[in-house]
Amino acid sequence: MTHIPVSKRFVALATSWKRDEFFSARLSLTGIYTATAVVILGIFSYLLYNALANGIANSFDGNFATQDAEQIALSRVLDILKTRLLVADGVVLLVVIVVGFFLTAVVLRPLKKARERERRFLADAAHELRTPLTIMKTDTEVLLRDRSATTSDTKELLKKNIDEIDALTGIVNGLLNLVRTKNKGATDSLIEIGTVLTAVVEKLAPLARVHGISLTSFVESGCTDASVRGRREDFNLMFANGIENAIKYTEPGGKVSVSLERKENFLEIKINDTGRGIAPQDMPFVTEPFYRADSTRSLVSGSGLGLAIMKETVETYGGTLRVESIFGKGTTVHISLPCVA
């Protein structure tokens, strides 16, 4: 094993800290911790010194032959006391600086993760938006350079451009829905989830038939009037995204089933399909915006925002979303929402 000198390790560590965009924030927080410690230690040391000095002076009173001898002895003891208090304060401050600097890394870790997610989100959004635009630009340039292009060629290009514009519109709408969901707060409206879910299933039944897929729904008898707090349009969008995803990733002849049951104070919604399933390595990322497994990108169109919007909606209203999948056999999305009536 190659031995790396301590000096080089220190230089490498210092360089990595400099490249950290939160390094200045760490220094600032460490400075605040240190300044606070200085004030507290100063007050504590001053009070402790006065208390000890008074106690020592009282213990010396009358124990020396002359007043001068007493003053000299007291002065020496107090000098030693000052020195030891200063050393102790210095050690404590050094510990505060070191511990504070590393503690700031823990404090700033959630912010760093949020920043990394934001960067990844922006990069993915730029990529998804750029792809249709690049296709449109390339095809248009080719047609313009082709002197033998006919009216039929132009119409075909326009149709392709419309398809790409539709893709762009879908991405933009998905982004707007995701942002709106993130920014929404609580609401006092009571929504009958069974009614909303049944309406969405009926609306998407023709789409399932076109794809040759059986779409069924089951609402437990006790859930017919069960309600949750929220906005109807949010739940409409959430269920539509979930069911459309299930239909999209299921082969013709497959099945998609939707169920609603009540478990104590929660409503449990399941969206199950017999589609392609999700590979184990993709499972941790399926609810991330724009994430789409490489194995499905060329087979299924979409922006990868469906599950992200569902997750944001569910969590906005105090619920949880969980995805189970067996690769090659199907996927089940479990949604749990707090029931209020």
Side-chain angles (χ1 to χ4, degrees), residues 58-234:
N58 291 332
S59 67
F60 277 14
D61 190 23
N63 292 332
F64 289 83
T66 65
Q67 187 72 22
D68 289 340
E70 181 180 327
Q71 290 298 324
I72 291 171
L74 180 61
S75 178
R76 287 177 180 177
V77 171
L78 292 181
D79 286 341
I80 293 172
L81 178 61
K82 284 180 183 178
T83 302
R84 291 186 177 180
L85 280 175
L86 287 173
V87 170
D89 288 348
V91 171
V92 172
L93 281 177
L94 182 61
V95 171
V96 168
I97 292 171
V98 174
V99 173
F101 182 73
F102 287 97
L103 183 62
T104 54
V106 178
V107 173
L108 294 173
R109 191 173 297 159
L111 293 176
K112 291 181 73 173
K113 288 183 178 179
R115 179 63 173 162
E116 289 170 4
R117 285 197 300 269
E118 180 186 355
R119 284 180 171 174
R120 187 168 61 249
F121 175 80
L122 290 174
D124 291 341
H127 173 75
E128 294 293 336
L129 291 170
R130 183 177 60 187
T131 300
L133 291 172
T134 302
I135 293 173
M136 292 169 63
K137 183 176 184 295
T138 302
D139 289 346
T140 303
E141 287 177 345
V142 169
L143 184 65
L144 287 173
R145 292 171 185 170
D146 186 2
R147 295 182 179 180
S148 61
T150 63
T151 303
S152 177
D153 295 330
T154 304
K155 287 183 177 180
E156 185 177 347
L157 174 65
L158 291 174
K159 288 179 181 178
K160 287 180 62 178
N161 284 350
I162 289 174
D163 291 337
E164 297 301 335
I165 291 170
D166 288 339
L168 283 170
T169 303
I171 294 171
V172 172
N173 287 337
L175 285 170
L176 289 173
N177 288 326
L178 186 60
V179 171
R180 286 169 183 163
T181 301
K182 284 178 179 288
N183 292 334
K184 282 172 182 173
T187 177
D188 292 331
S189 300
L190 292 180
I191 307 299
E192 293 182 357
I193 287 297
T195 303
V196 175
L197 188 59
T198 301
V200 173
V201 170
E202 290 176 355
K203 182 179 178 180
L204 293 177
L207 177 65
R209 284 196 294 270
V210 168
H211 285 79
I213 294 167
S214 170
L215 175 60
T216 59
S217 64
F218 167 76
V219 177
E220 193 178 56
S221 58
C223 297
T224 306
D225 300 325
S227 301
V228 299
R229 295 192 184 279
R231 295 179 176 84
R232 181 178 293 272
E233 58 269 25
D234 292 346

Side-chain angles (χ1 to χ4, degrees), residues 2-3 28 47 52 54 58 106 111 139 147 153 217 249 278 281 287 293 296 305 315 332-333 337:
T2 305
H3 176 70
S28 298
L47 295 175
L52 291 175
N54 290 332
N58 291 332
V106 178
L111 293 176
D139 289 346
R147 295 182 179 180
D153 295 330
S217 64
Y249 289 99
I278 303 168
Q281 65 269 22
T287 56
T296 62
L305 290 170
E315 292 181 353
T332 303
V333 178
L337 294 168

